[in-house]
Amino acid sequence: RLVRLMRLFRPMRILVQSVINTVKSLTWTIVLLIIILFMFGMAFTQASVEHVIDNVCNNQPCRDHMAEVEGMLLHDYFGSVDNAILTLFMSLTGGLNWEKVFKQLEDVSIFWSLFFLVFISFCYLAVLNIVTGTVCTTAIESAHDDLDVQVTAELEQKEKYAKQLTMIFEQMDSDNSGQLDMDKFQEAMKSDPLAVAAVFSAMEISVETACQLFQLLDVDDDRRLTVEDFVEGCLRLRGTAKATDIRLLMHESKLTVSKLTLLSKYFEEDFLDDIEEKVMGSVSQRLESVSL
């Protein structure tokens, strides 16, 4: 029950871990977004303030027109840098219909209304999409690098391949003896070569002939294959050679070379001396026996 409960909460643990791993990317995203909003907010605030001074206050101090100025939506949206940043942020996140902001800037100038469209397009199509892609990539990588997830995925894939290989073995074992010899194996491979080749190709098992595959699977060299030999052998042959396989092959090759070197050195230096000693010893023994 405890194991089942742990498996039940595994997806939640992965989600929490992914969120934690994206905090760093999210922090820099917020910093970048604040910088962009601050730069655009300063520009819109400057344009709005100049528009109010020129058209409402008539190039005079706005103390006498404060009631009129404070009643304008343009003042609420871009009366200060703080309000401008909040307005731009709400326009991006859906907290404010940016069409209303566009119409207010259109009263200022067609240039600033178009500049607002440039801001919306840039943030929607570039910044937010890039940020979403970065955060999603970080979350996917963190989930993929999780050792528990990798082990679980590998075990599930191995179990799936084992079931498929068991089905193939049962189809090859026509007499239900639980064993395959070379004749039955070749006959099964020849009966439907395309289907069998497709299955092995999907499992990343590449063997030229049935004889070669049988020899690779027959580890005991007893000319018989059980279902365990067949499944474990195919799983062992699946995929390309790994670094451990190559290192093991290199180690065995070095041992073989060292033994051959010693044997060659023996034949070159000590073999003739040993033969000569044995011949001389046998000759001396015969001479002694003849003399006696």
Side-chain angles (χ1 to χ4, degrees), residues 80-100:
S80 64
V81 176
D82 297 340
N83 290 342
I85 292 176
L86 181 60
T87 299
L88 295 178
F89 179 76
M90 293 175 66
S91 299
L92 285 177
T93 56
L96 178 65
N97 189 352
W98 62 266
E99 182 182 1
K100 297 180 180 180

Side-chain angles (χ1 to χ4, degrees), residues 16 46 61 64 75 113 128 146 154 160 163 180-181 183 194 223 262:
V16 173
Q46 182 68 26
D64 301 333
H75 179 269
S113 61
L128 295 183
D146 188 83
E154 183 67 23
K160 180 184 71 174
K163 291 181 179 178
L180 290 178
D181 55 11
D183 296 333
L194 295 178
R223 311 292 293 177
L262 292 175

Side-chain angles (χ1 to χ4, degrees), residues 1-277:
R1 290 181 179 179
L2 181 61
V3 173
R4 292 180 179 177
L5 186 62
M6 292 176 62
R7 290 181 179 178
L8 179 64
F9 285 99
R10 182 180 300 160
M12 185 175 181
R13 181 184 63 81
I14 296 173
L15 289 175
V16 173
Q17 184 177 359
S18 300
V19 171
I20 294 174
N21 291 332
T22 56
V23 170
K24 184 177 180 181
S25 300
L26 185 60
T27 302
W28 286 110
T29 299
I30 294 174
V31 172
L32 176 62
L33 190 59
I34 291 175
I35 293 174
I36 294 173
L37 293 177
F38 179 77
M39 294 174 59
F40 279 93
M42 286 184 61
F44 288 123
T45 301
Q46 182 68 26
S48 300
V49 170
E50 291 179 357
H51 172 74
V52 170
I53 293 175
D54 294 340
N55 295 276
V56 178
C57 301
N58 297 320
N59 294 325
Q60 299 294 328
C62 294
R63 296 176 182 176
D64 301 333
H65 303 82
M66 286 301 297
E68 184 179 357
V69 171
E70 291 178 354
M72 298 175 60
L73 283 177
L74 185 63
H75 179 269
D76 294 337
Y77 291 158
F78 300 106
S80 64
V81 176
D82 297 340
N83 290 342
I85 292 176
L86 181 60
T87 299
L88 295 178
F89 179 76
M90 293 175 66
S91 299
L92 285 177
T93 56
L96 178 65
N97 189 352
W98 62 266
E99 182 182 1
K100 297 180 180 180
V101 182
F102 175 80
K103 289 181 178 180
Q104 293 298 318
L105 290 174
E106 196 174 19
D107 295 336
V108 176
S109 172
I110 188 64
F111 170 78
W112 290 108
S113 61
L114 293 177
F115 191 65
F116 180 73
L117 290 179
V118 171
F119 164 77
I120 293 294
S121 301
F122 172 71
C123 290
Y124 263 120
L125 302 179
V127 178
L128 295 183
N129 285 331
I130 293 173
V131 167
T132 303
T134 303
V135 173
C136 290
T137 301
T138 304
I140 293 172
E141 288 178 353
S142 64
H144 183 268
D145 293 338
D146 188 83
L147 182 60
D148 191 17
V149 175
Q150 293 181 359
V151 172
T152 303
E154 183 67 23
L155 291 176
E156 290 177 353
Q157 189 177 27
K158 186 176 181 180
E159 184 179 359
K160 180 184 71 174
Y161 285 146
K163 291 181 179 178
Q164 294 178 351
L165 291 170
T166 303
M167 292 176 59
I168 294 175
F169 182 88
E170 292 175 353
Q171 293 176 1
M172 291 181 176
D173 187 15
S174 56
D175 57 357
N176 297 325
S177 62
Q179 291 184 341
L180 290 178
D181 55 11
M182 177 64 76
D183 296 333
K184 292 169 62 176
F185 191 78
Q186 287 183 336
E187 182 180 355
M189 293 286 287
K190 292 179 180 179
S191 61
D192 195 359
L194 295 178
V196 176
V199 172
F200 283 121
S201 178
M203 296 182 184
E204 300 179 3
I205 299 175
S206 176
V207 179
E208 296 296 332
T209 62
C211 182
Q212 292 178 350
L213 179 59
F214 188 89
Q215 291 175 354
L216 292 174
L217 297 177
D218 187 17
V219 181
D220 300 333
D221 200 20
D222 56 355
R223 311 292 293 177
R224 300 285 182 186
L225 287 179
T226 62
V227 62
E228 290 81 8
D229 295 336
F230 182 76
V231 173
E232 292 178 1
C234 290
L235 292 176
R236 198 167 47 246
L237 295 175
R238 184 173 64 89
T240 57
K242 299 180 180 179
T244 53
D245 300 329
I246 297 175
R247 294 298 300 178
L248 180 60
L249 183 60
M250 293 175 60
H251 178 69
E252 293 177 352
S253 299
K254 289 180 180 179
L255 291 178
T256 303
V257 170
S258 62
K259 291 180 181 179
L260 290 175
T261 302
L262 292 175
L263 185 61
S264 176
K265 185 177 180 181
Y266 169 75
F267 277 110
E268 291 178 355
E269 298 178 0
D270 301 331
F271 180 72
L272 294 178
D273 295 337
D274 293 342
I275 293 298
E276 185 177 357
E277 290 179 1

